[in-house]
Amino acid sequence: MSGDNPLSDDVACVAPFLDLLGIATTQDQQGHIIGKMTYQPHLIGNPNVPALHGGGVSSLLETVAVMQVMAATDASDIPKTINITVDFLRPAKPLDTYASAVLLRVGRRIATVEATAWQESEDKPVTSARVLLRLR
Amino acid sequence: MTAEQKNTLNVDALRKMNRAFHGMVPLNNRLGVVIEKLDYGYAKTTLPYQESFIGDPKRVTIHGGVITTLLDTTAGMAAFMSLKELVPFATLDLRIDHLASASPGADIEAEAKLIRHTRSVIFIEATAFFKGNPNPISRATVTFMLGTPLAPDATRPNWEVPV
């Protein structure tokens, strides 16, 4: 993923917790949000594998889901997460992790979003999540 | 066997466990997760509040990922405390319902309990609270897949419970 890195390294982190995890997001020309969680040693959850902590990858997925909904609705307030269901498909290696989200439905009050995270190759997802958000 | 029939780990053992655990799980160390109590199929943790947990600077709320990480971690400890033998295990999935907004300032507590231990899967339920408030802020169901027992001569990960 190094040759076609969709993100510049200087994308501003907007919230303290995203800063802590090293999560930055950018939007491509088609309006798709791409999130990047830059690898840092403190993101490790299991040093024996070694693998990233599921909580960090889940945070990346929730973030891209929220940002994609905000991009689609021109919302100024951050939608609130009602629930999130996360499937850990493969161990997340100590590498940079990317994520994007697909809007399944955006209603007046509720949005249902599916977010996927990958590392070396986009067609080998490491984690996927279904996120239900309350818009207002 | 009920939880009462098992001895709760004493303070000294908990202190050792906290040390081992922080060396073991860097993200928990970075967030400052503290183990309060461990028992058979049970774990209780505290997450002292930090400003770096804020996810929405405008409305000043905690990022959902903070709770997800805490509940995942606490559920993992309860799963570890349910093991009948030392086998590696991995999180299969988790689902979290956010029952109330996590407004910042207060320390967060999490409690995880074993629901069922089958041959290959452990089911855990975990709940997060603001310290001193009995109304849960979030609830999680987490499933873990058990691996195969380690060979006797295998290099064992350093995760034995110090008792």
Side-chain angles (χ1 to χ4, degrees), chain B residues 41-42 71 74-80 82 111-116 122-126 140-144:
Chain B
Y42 178 87
L71 288 176
T74 312
M77 286 180 214
F80 177 81
S82 315
E111 207 177 25
K113 287 175 190 161
L114 171 68
I115 298 303
R116 180 133 175 100
I122 298 176
F123 299 88
I124 303 283
E125 271 181 16
T141 307
V142 191
T143 53
F144 297 90

Side-chain angles (χ1 to χ4, degrees), chain B residues 45-63:
Chain B
T45 55
T46 301
L47 184 64
Y49 176 70
Q50 286 182 32
E51 275 186 9
S52 57
F53 295 162
I54 290 173
D56 183 345
K58 195 172 152 194
R59 283 194 296 212
V60 202
T61 55
I62 291 172
H63 195 288

Side-chain angles (χ1 to χ4, degrees), chain A residues 18-123:
Chain A
L18 302 186
D19 206 23
L20 189 155
L21 296 177
I23 294 175
T25 57
T26 190
Q27 199 169 7
D28 69 13
Q29 282 160 346
Q30 288 82 45
H32 297 127
I33 299 286
I34 310 271
K36 179 188 181 186
M37 184 167 71
T38 303
Y39 172 68
Q40 300 172 78
H42 73 247
L43 295 176
I44 295 286
N46 185 340
N48 296 314
V49 176
L52 299 187
H53 198 296
V57 183
S58 302
S59 303
L60 172 67
L61 290 169
E62 184 175 337
T63 301
V64 292
V66 164
M67 300 290 275
Q68 188 67 67
V69 168
M70 289 182 77
T73 57
D74 290 321
S76 57
D77 284 334
I78 298 178
K80 287 187 174 174
T81 306
I82 298 170
N83 63 40
I84 176 167
T85 307
V86 188
D87 286 297
F88 298 99
L89 308 171
R90 293 183 174 84
K93 298 174 186 174
L95 298 171
D96 292 348
T97 310
Y98 299 89
S100 65
V102 174
L103 304 177
L104 301 182
R105 172 165 153 89
V106 179
R108 224 161 34 82
R109 299 170 63 198
I110 302 287
T112 307
V113 189
E114 193 155 87
T116 307
W118 69 92
Q119 294 186 316
E120 288 147 304
S121 159
E122 196 167 349
D123 44 69

Side-chain angles (χ1 to χ4, degrees), chain B residues 98-113:
Chain B
H98 294 293
L99 310 173
S101 335
S103 37
D107 297 349
I108 301 167
E109 286 182 337
E111 207 177 25
K113 287 175 190 161

